[in-house]
Every structure is written in structure tokens, then in C-alpha cells.
């Protein structure tokens, strides 16, 4: 590689380290790093215990290895497909600074590609180090975990790059009358049919996976992924680990060769896609996840009534939601529809608490970080709202309408799907949870926005080892969880009290619990108004 | 020094630049003007090798930008409209990298002089992320000047600069031209173009509407009045001052 590009890599590495060290000079940065390390230590300790997520039966290393060998190829396949379908354009992206300074500099395209691949390799090495520290001790050596993680991460990156380049080449050379969204819809539909079919067989998750893996299609499709699984599970350094690692390297090298060969055909598209991606990053830094920041054309709809000034604010956010995140919302709705059959399939393999924990994590972390249509998406334009002739609590109401409604809709579909596959008391409980969705989400998004207005920061990390972001996210998640659980406990307590007083009248009890939760959620509105009042634009 | 012959660039069905031909000799400063979407930035980006041309012949200092891109870029300095730099690098580290990239031996005295000229001396160890837009623009220009390019392309060079910065950069452009560099300035600031450029090219909807020496162009449009300005010429060519009835 060009020596100047090697120098640039070193300078950027030094700059990154300097940036992190400067963060640690502040009390806040130091605290967040301590929190991050504390949580990592807890995770490492926890990972040495038996994993309840994978099996209801207590698992030893041998069982874990067997489960890993069974699940990992499918997981890798899913990760590759997800990377391919959630990325836009070629997977080798250059930042605007690289385009301005390097593309106009005296470098060959191949040198620039190698520079970028080195960048990815460095990122993959850091991630692999983290994985080596965190994963359960099922492998025979730490080296196996490190090499396995590194080769796997590189494979996913290179594989998606090759698929992106090939599809670009096909589109460039011949007219392809199939749009990507159609392919995604077709795949989701196929998956839905598969999941519902497997749910009907009733063999559980393990049975379904075995069925697929033993089929001819499954064997062929999963064969390349098996190499990387074997790196993780190699029983000895030589010949096991060495042999599989060399094979893994060879696969990645072959993919890299294909990228270099094909990339010359997509030079311009690469620039365009890189700039497009950068715009999405800028949007994502303001408004959450990257894949939730891809604008689509949606026609405007009629203006809503004024409703004391709340209407126009809510209308604007709903329109933004449709234009920016209609795809993620559709994906969430699709996944929510599959929740019922998935619960049936996974019932035998995944414990109830793991399922509840997973749904809680999605509801409290993933959805609010994806459906960002409130104060958090307006960080750069909050001064416009300050100038509006509108009371701040009303502004808060308008800002919360879109995320609360969309999240509640996704969760309603999820609960409905699950309820269809359950019966008796379980179905009644699920249906009984439905009215609580709106007040719960009002409380959740109220808290999200309250924390954001009090400590405004971008919603995505800067680089891989952003302690400030990691620490802040963990602290926020813990605070939110405590407050949400506390509020739900209060509401449930009020409901139980009424149950005792009314000789077990469930409708009265549920009504009181609902009212209690709603009142607590409504308390967020004046708090939001207060937080927006004290938000100082000039100090941002 | 810069030769562009029958250059055409399309994006799918959209023709960004059509059949463009012009030359810029050593020591000349060409002003590239036109309304938004006229094809100015596309022309600059193709000349700088960031995007490939559709068709036509483009050469920089005798090097074809398609068949011999690295030699062409070796003698070229490009200052984009938005000064994107490496956020975590300091001002001096940028110069250090550029020196390595273009093989500038003993670059320190030149780099020091540039820092002083652009009043960046005190900021040399600051990461560029902490600088104002105007400062970053100055860093981008200092980087472009460091290897003494024979061809310099400026895309909206004065955005975000303070009056002192504007004066310094205008003076530096004149000085570079005096030293024999061929310069292209793409800008909407017609006053700047008129005061600085020796030649003018007006692009409109991807096509060349007018190309020649600045004096000749102004003279060609001075039928109606004696003190014809570039602004008069611009609106006369592009008709973009006509107010459409609502």
C-alpha cells in the first residue's frame, strides 16, 4: 500500500486515541468510562455462568459447543443477509473527507481500496477483542475466539460488499425490472410462510433448524459458514485452528480479490453512494439508527386541526416518520406479526424470562432508538421551536404523538400475533396488556425526551470505542428501566389494592391500574415543558 | 495547462454537462459561473479526478485524467466547496500527510509559511474538528498549496471566510497565477470573479453559453450601456432574473 496512506492510517489512529483520551479528561467522560467498564466486567462474570438464553436445561461447555455449532451457521447467514439488505450501494464506503482529499490525490483506486480495507480490518480487530473478552468460555482457547470473531466479521463485511458490487454490475449492464424493496417484501413473505409452517409442525426451534440443516439446500447454503464456526470450535491450535483459520483467510482473500476486480466498474457509483451514506449518517447522528434514516418519497396529507397548537407539531412529526422511517416501521410490523409463531417454535428452547427480557429490551431500547420523531430528531432546529407562540408542555405533547402511536401500533400487532397462538389465561393476560401500551409508551418516550433535553447528545456513537456514548447509553437504560418498572409497579399496586377492595373485580382493578399508569405518564408533560424551558440553545 | 475537449457527463438520463470545450493557460484565472445545477461542480469534480468523465478529452498539465490520472493529480490542487477534513487530525498533521502523499521533501518551511500566511500558526496543534468553517477552509487551501500545484481548482473558495481571510486568499490566488499556475474558480460571487479572473466561462443547463477573456466578454455585452458588469452579462445569458408570474 502507498506509504502516504499508511502514514494517514497511523495519524488517524493516533488522532482517535487522542480524542478518547481528551474525553477522559472531563469528569463526565471518566464517569461514563467507569460505567462502561463496570458493565463489561459484570457481563464477563455473567458469561462464565450457564446461559439461560440458549436452553432451559443448564448447559456445560460441551452442550454449549453443540448449540453453537447448530445455531451459528444460521446466525451467520442471517447476519450476511441483514447486512446486504440494510446497506445501500457498495459496501466500501468513503467519507467526504476521504473523497475530497484522497480521490483528488495521487493515489490509484486499488491503493485507496486497500487503505479502506485496512480501516475495516482495524475495526474488526477491536470488535474481535471485545468479543473475546465477552463471549462465554465455550471455545477451547481465547485465540480461537479472537480469530473466529475476526474472520467472521471480515467475512460478513466482504460478503456484503461482493453482493453489493455484483448487483450494481447487473443493474449497470442490463435492465433489471425488480426493485430491492420488492425482493425484501418477497423474502419477508417467504420467511413468514416458513415460520408459520414450522410453527405448525410443532418440533420447536431445534427441530426446525435440524430440518433445514439436514436438507440439501441447507447443507449447500451453510457450507461456507461452517468454516468460520470450525475456527471458533477448533479443539487444538495445530492442526485444527491453524487449518480452519487458513481456510477462513483464503475465503476472505478470495472475496477481497473479487471486490478489487469488480470495484473498477463501480467507481462513480461508489462516490455517489458514499456521499449518500454520509448524508444518512448526518441524519442518523441527529435522529437515531442509520437504517432508520433513509428518506422515501411520501406525499403530504391534509393539515390536521390546530388543537391548541399541538396539531401542527404532531402532523410534522408524523409526516417525518412516514418519510424517513416507513421502511423500519414496516419491518417492525412484519417481525411483530411473526412473533406469535416464533413464540410457539421457540417455546421449548428459550425460557419464558429470556423471551420477556428480549421483548422488554426491544420495547425500551430498540424501538425508541429507531422511531425518533420527537425532540431528539430536532436537536439542530430546537431554536425554531423556542420561537413558536406555544406553551412548552403543548409542544411536548405534539412531539410525542408520532413515536407513541407508531410504537404502540407495532406492539399491538405483536401482542395480537402472540395472543392468536395462545389460549386460556395466557391469551386473556396478553389481551389485557393492550390498553396499557399507549400510556406505557407515553411514559417511555416522555422519559427519553426528558433525559435528552437535560443532557442533549447525538444518538449514535463516534467510532468504535466511544466510551462517552456507551457509558451514557448504559446509564440511560438503567435509569429508564428503574423508572419504568417503578411506575408499572405503582400502577399494578393500585390495581391490586382495588382488587382486594372490590372482592376480585378484575375490570375495576385493570381500570384503576390503567388510570394510574396514565396519570404517571401525563406527569411527564409538564416535566418535558420544564426541561425544554431550561434547555439553553446557546450552550449546545 | 488545462484542456477540455467535447466533455459530456450524464447521470442516468440527466445530462449534467454537454459537449464542453475550453482551455486554461498557465498564469490564467478562469471564472466558472452559472446558476445552481448548471454543471460547475460536476466539471470541477471530473477535472480533479473524483468522478470519471462520460466522454471527451480532459488533460491537466499534459496528463490525460483518464489514462494517466495519478500524474495529473500529482500537479493538481483541489479545494472543494465544503472543506471536509479528517476530524481527529490536527492542522499540522494534515500538512504532514499531504507532504507524504505528494512526496514533498523538506516541506516544513513551506508549511510554516502557509500557516503564517493564513493566520493558522497558533492553531497548528488544534484538531480541525474544533476549528470554525472559515479556519477549516484555510486549512484546505493550505493543504492544496503545499505541493506547489501547477493547476488549482477552487469550488466556492470564499464561503465562511472573514474579510481578512478573503483578502488573503484572493491575494494568494493572484500570486499563484503570477507564478504560472492555471486556476479555475467556480463561484456565485460575480464580483469576486469579475475582479479576479482573466477569463470567463458561463455554464447554463450543462452547456457553455460563453467563454473567452473577461474583457472581451464584457465588451461583447456592452451594447446597451457603457459600464456593463459581469452581473449584467450573467443575467443576460441565463435569463434567471426574470420573475415568473405566480
Amino acid at each position: 500500500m502507498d506509504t502516504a496512506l499508511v502514514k494517514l492510517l497511523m495519524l488517524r489512529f493516533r488522532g482517535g486515541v487522542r480524542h478518547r483520551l481528551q474525553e477522559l479528561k472531563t469528569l463526565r467522560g471518566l464517569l461514563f468510562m467507569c460505567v462502561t467498564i463496570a458493565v463489561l466486567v459484570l457481563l464477563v462474570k455473567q458469561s462464565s455462568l450457564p446461559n439461560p438464553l440458549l436452553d432451559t436445561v443448564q448447559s456445560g461447555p460441551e452442550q454449549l459447543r453443540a448449540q453453537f455449532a447448530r445455531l451459528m451457521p444460521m446466525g451467520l447467514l442471517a447476519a450476511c443477509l441483514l447486512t446486504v439488505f440494510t446497506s445501500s450501494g457498495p459496501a466500501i464506503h468513503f467519507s467526504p473527507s476521504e473523497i475530497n482529499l484522497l480521490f483528488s490525490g495521487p493515489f490509484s483506486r486499488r491503493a485507496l481500496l486497500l487503505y479502506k480495507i485496512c480501516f475495516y480490518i482495524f475495526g474488526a480487530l477491536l470488535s474481535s477483542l471485545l468479543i473475546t473478552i465477552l463471549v462465554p468460555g465455550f471455545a477451547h482457547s481465547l485465540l480461537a475466539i479472537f480469530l473466529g470473531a475476526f474472520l467472521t466479521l471480515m467475512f460478513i463485511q466482504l460478503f456484503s460488499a461482493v453482493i453489493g458490487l455484483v448487483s450494481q454490475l447487473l443493474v449497470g449492464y442490463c435492465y433489471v425490472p425488480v426493485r430491492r424493496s420488492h425482493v425484501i417484501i418477497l423474502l419477508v413473505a417467504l420467511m413468514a410462510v416458513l415460520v408459520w409452517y414450522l410453527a405448525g409442525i410443532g418440533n420447536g426451534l431445534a427441530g426446525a433448524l435440524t430440518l433445514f440443516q439436514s436438507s440439501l439446500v441447507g447443507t449447500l447454503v451453510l457450507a461456507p459458514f461452517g468454516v468460520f464456526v470450525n475456527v471458533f470450535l477448533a479443539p487444538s491450535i495445530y492442526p485444527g485452528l491453524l487449518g480452519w483459520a487458513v481456510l477462513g483467510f483464503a475465503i476472505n482473500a478470495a472475496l477481497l480479490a473479487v471486490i478489487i476486480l469488480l470495484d473498477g466498474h463501480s467507481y462513480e457509483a461508489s462516490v455517489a453512494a458514499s456521499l449518500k451514506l454520509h448524508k444518512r449518517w448526518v441524519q442518523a447522528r441527529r435522529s437515531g439508527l442509520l437504517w432508520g434514516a433513509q428518506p422515501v418519497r411520501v406525499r403530504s396529507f391534509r393539515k390536521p386541526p390546530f388543537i391548541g397548537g399541538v396539531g401542527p407539531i404532531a402532523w410534522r412529526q408524523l409526516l417525518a416518520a412516514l418519510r424517513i422511517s416507513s421502511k423500519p416501521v414496516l419491518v417492525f410490523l412484519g417481525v411483530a406479526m411473526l412473533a406469535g409463531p416464533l413464540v410457539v417454535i421457540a417455546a421449548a428452547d428459550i425460557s419464558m424470562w429470556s423471551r420477556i427480557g428480549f421483548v422488554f429490551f426491544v420495547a425500551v431500547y430498540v424501538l425508541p432508538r429507531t422511531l425518533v420523531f420527537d425532540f431528539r430528531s430536532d436537536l439542530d432546529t430546537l431554536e425554531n421551536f423556542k420561537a413558536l407562540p406555544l406553551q412548552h408542555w403543548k409542544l411536548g405533547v405534539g412531539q410525542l404523538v408520532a413515536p407513541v402511536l407508531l410504537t404502540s401500533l407495532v406492539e399491538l400487532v405483536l401482542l395480537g400475533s402472540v395472543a392468536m397462538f395462545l389460549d386460556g389465561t395466557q391469551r386473556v393476560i396478553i389481551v389485557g396488556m393492550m390498553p396499557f401500551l399507549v400510556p406505557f409508551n407515553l411514559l417511555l418516550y416522555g422519559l427519553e425526551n426528558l433525559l435528552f433535553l437535560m443532557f442533549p447528545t447525538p444518538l449514535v456513537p463516534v467510532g468504535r470505542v466511544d466510551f462517552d456514548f456507551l457509558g451514557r447509553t448504559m446509564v440511560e437504560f438503567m435509569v429508564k428501566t428503574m423508572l419504568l418498572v417503578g411506575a408499572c409497579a405503582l400502577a399494578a399496586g393500585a390495581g391490586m389494592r382495588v382488587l382486594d377492595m372490590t372482592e376480585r373485580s378484575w375490570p375495576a382493578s385493570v381500570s384503576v391500574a390503567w388510570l394510574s399508569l396514565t396519570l404517571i405518564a401525563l406527569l411527564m408533560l409538564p416535566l418535558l415543558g420544564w426541561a425544554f424551558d431550561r434547555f439553553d440553545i446557546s450552550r449546545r | 495547462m488545462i484542456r477540455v475537449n467535447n466533455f459530456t457527463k450524464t447521470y442516468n438520463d440527466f445530462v449534467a454537462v454537454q459537449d464542453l470545450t475550453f482551455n486554461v493557460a498557465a498564469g490564467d484565472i478562469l471564472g466558472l459561473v452559472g446558476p445552481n445545477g448548471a454543471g460547475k461542480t460536476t466539471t470541477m469534480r471530473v477535472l480533479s479526478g473524483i468522478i470519471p468523465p462520460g466522454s471527451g478529452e480532459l488533460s491537466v498539465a499534459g496528463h490525460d485524467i483518464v489514462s494517466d490520472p495519478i500524474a495529473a493529480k500529482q500537479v493538481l490542487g483541489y479545494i472543494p466547496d465544503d472543506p471536509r477534513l479528517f476530524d481527529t487530525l490536527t492542522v499540522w498533521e494534515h500538512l504532514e500527510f499531504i507532504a507524504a502523499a505528494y512526496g514533498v521533501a523538506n516541506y516544513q518551511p513551506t508549511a510554516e509559511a502557509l500557516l503564517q500566511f493564513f493566520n493558522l500558526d497558533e492553531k497548528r496543534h488544534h484538531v480541525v474538528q474544533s476549528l470554525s468553517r472559515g479556519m477549516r477552509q484555510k486549512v484546505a487551501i493550505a493543504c492544496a498549496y503545499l505541493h506547489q500545484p501547477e493547476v488549482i481548482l477552487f469550488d466556492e473558495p470564499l464561503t465562511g471566510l472573514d474579510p481578512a481571510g478573503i483578502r488573503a486568499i484572493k491575494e494568494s490566488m493572484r500570486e499563484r497565477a503570477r507564478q504560472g499556475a492555471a486556476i479555475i474558480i467556480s463561484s456565485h460571487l460575480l464580483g469576486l470573479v469579475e475582479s479576479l479572473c482573466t477569463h470567463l466561462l458561463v455554464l447554463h443547463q450543462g452547456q457553455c453559453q460563453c467563454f473567452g477573456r473577461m474583457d472581451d466578454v464584457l465588451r461583447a455585452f456592452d451594447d446597451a450601456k457603457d459600464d456593463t458588469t459581469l452581473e449584467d452579462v450573467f443575467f443576460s445569458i441565463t435569463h434567471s432574473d426574470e420573475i415568473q408570474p405566480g
Side-chain angles (χ1 to χ4, degrees), chain A residues 226-387:
Chain A
V227 172
F228 300 97
V229 174
N230 285 325
V231 176
F232 278 104
L233 299 179
S236 60
I237 302 277
Y238 182 83
L241 179 58
L242 192 68
W244 288 115
V246 167
L247 197 55
F249 269 114
I251 291 174
N252 285 340
L255 289 173
L256 181 60
V258 174
I259 289 170
I260 290 173
L261 189 75
L262 294 181
D263 189 74
H265 298 279
S266 62
Y267 185 83
E268 185 173 359
S270 167
V271 175
S274 294
L275 291 173
K276 196 171 150 193
L277 184 80
H278 179 76
K279 278 185 189 167
R280 285 176 62 196
W281 263 110
V282 172
Q283 170 75 19
R285 285 207 63 177
R286 289 200 301 264
S287 61
L289 292 179
L290 186 63
W291 67 300
Q294 198 169 10
V296 290
R297 283 186 184 180
V298 173
R299 285 183 62 191
S300 186
F301 46 83
R302 230 169 64 87
K303 277 185 189 173
F306 186 64
I307 324 176
V310 171
I313 305 290
W315 168 79
R316 176 187 157 275
Q317 290 290 16
L318 280 168
L319 205 58
L322 286 172
R323 285 186 176 153
I324 293 173
S325 281
S326 54
K327 283 180 190 170
V329 169
L330 285 174
V331 169
F332 279 130
L333 283 173
V335 173
M337 284 169 73
L338 295 177
L342 279 172
V343 164
V344 173
I345 293 173
D349 302 283
I350 301 175
S351 70
M352 188 184 74
W353 285 111
S354 294
R355 278 178 269 155
I356 291 174
F358 179 72
V359 170
F360 182 80
F361 179 74
V362 171
V364 173
Y365 186 78
V366 179
L367 285 173
R369 286 282 162 145
T370 311
L371 307 176
V372 185
F373 312 107
D374 39 43
F375 284 113
R376 296 170 298 162
S377 60
D378 290 328
L379 186 57
D380 293 341
T381 51
L382 281 181
E383 58 199 75
N384 299 337
F385 292 111
K386 284 270 184 188

Side-chain angles (χ1 to χ4, degrees), chain A residues 31-78:
Chain A
L31 282 175
F32 281 146
M33 194 197 67
C34 290
V35 170
T36 307
I37 290 173
V39 172
L40 286 180
V41 169
L42 280 175
L43 282 172
V44 171
K45 286 205 168 211
Q46 195 263 344
S47 70
S48 61
L49 300 172
N51 190 347
L53 186 71
L54 291 174
D55 212 319
T56 47
V57 182
Q58 295 290 300
S59 309
E62 281 308 319
Q63 284 91 340
L64 277 173
R65 273 193 276 275
Q67 281 177 336
F68 187 83
R70 195 181 57 189
L71 295 173
M72 185 64 174
M74 289 289 289
L76 268 179
L77 174 66

Side-chain angles (χ1 to χ4, degrees), chain B residues 20-229:
Chain B
L20 182 63
T21 298
F22 67 91
N23 299 317
V24 185
D28 284 352
I29 304 178
L30 172 73
L32 186 58
V33 298
N36 292 330
K40 301 186 299 294
T41 296
T42 296
T43 305
M44 300 288 265
R45 293 189 134 217
V46 169
L47 270 172
S48 64
I50 291 179
I51 53 175
S55 63
E57 293 168 11
L58 298 95
S59 68
V60 170
H63 307 287
D64 190 281
I65 61 155
V66 176
S67 59
D68 196 7
I70 295 181
K73 290 172 183 180
Q74 185 66 47
V75 293
L76 184 128
Y78 172 60
I79 296 104
D81 55 344
D82 193 3
R84 302 277 189 186
L85 302 164
F86 297 114
D87 281 349
T88 52
L89 264 56
T90 64
V91 174
W92 185 260
E93 283 169 344
H94 273 86
L95 294 167
E96 206 178 330
F97 163 65
I98 292 293
Y102 290 86
V104 186
N106 192 25
Y107 69 95
Q108 288 89 344
T110 317
E112 293 284 358
L114 284 168
L115 289 184
Q116 284 193 347
F117 182 80
F118 289 116
N119 280 327
L120 289 168
D121 203 23
E122 288 175 8
K123 304 281 183 187
R124 65 169 64 210
H125 297 307
H126 287 224
V127 286
V128 294
Q129 198 178 22
S130 66
L131 302 181
S132 67
R133 193 192 188 284
M135 288 278 191
R136 280 186 278 128
Q137 182 76 348
K138 288 178 184 175
V139 176
I141 296 173
C143 285
Y145 282 176
L146 185 68
H147 63 288
Q148 310 289 351
E150 295 171 39
V151 169
I152 311 175
L153 310 176
F154 289 94
D155 197 353
E156 289 294 350
L158 303 185
T159 313
L161 290 174
D162 56 17
I166 290 173
R167 177 182 279 187
I169 285 166
K170 280 166 75 172
E171 185 47 45
S172 76
M173 289 172 178
R174 287 196 187 97
E175 181 57 31
R176 297 275 151 178
R178 272 197 293 272
Q179 289 170 5
I183 296 175
I184 299 182
I185 302 170
S186 165
S187 180
H188 290 299
L189 301 174
L190 299 178
L192 164 83
V193 172
E194 189 174 355
S195 68
L196 206 62
C197 297
T198 58
H199 290 68
L200 179 73
L201 195 161
V202 183
L203 270 178
H204 186 38
Q205 294 175 343
Q207 292 184 320
C208 175
Q209 302 295 320
C210 156
F211 169 62
R213 286 192 62 82
M214 182 70 74
D215 299 341
D216 297 341
V217 172
L218 293 179
R219 208 173 297 124
F221 282 85
D222 68 354
D223 295 344
K225 51 181 184 175
D226 294 334
D227 55 345
T228 303
T229 62

Side-chain angles (χ1 to χ4, degrees), chain A residues 363 403-404 407-409 411 436-446:
Chain A
V404 169
T407 306
S408 301
L409 178 67
E411 290 167 352
F436 289 87
L437 290 177
V438 171
F440 179 82
N441 286 319
L442 181 62
L443 180 62
L444 171 65
Y445 280 93

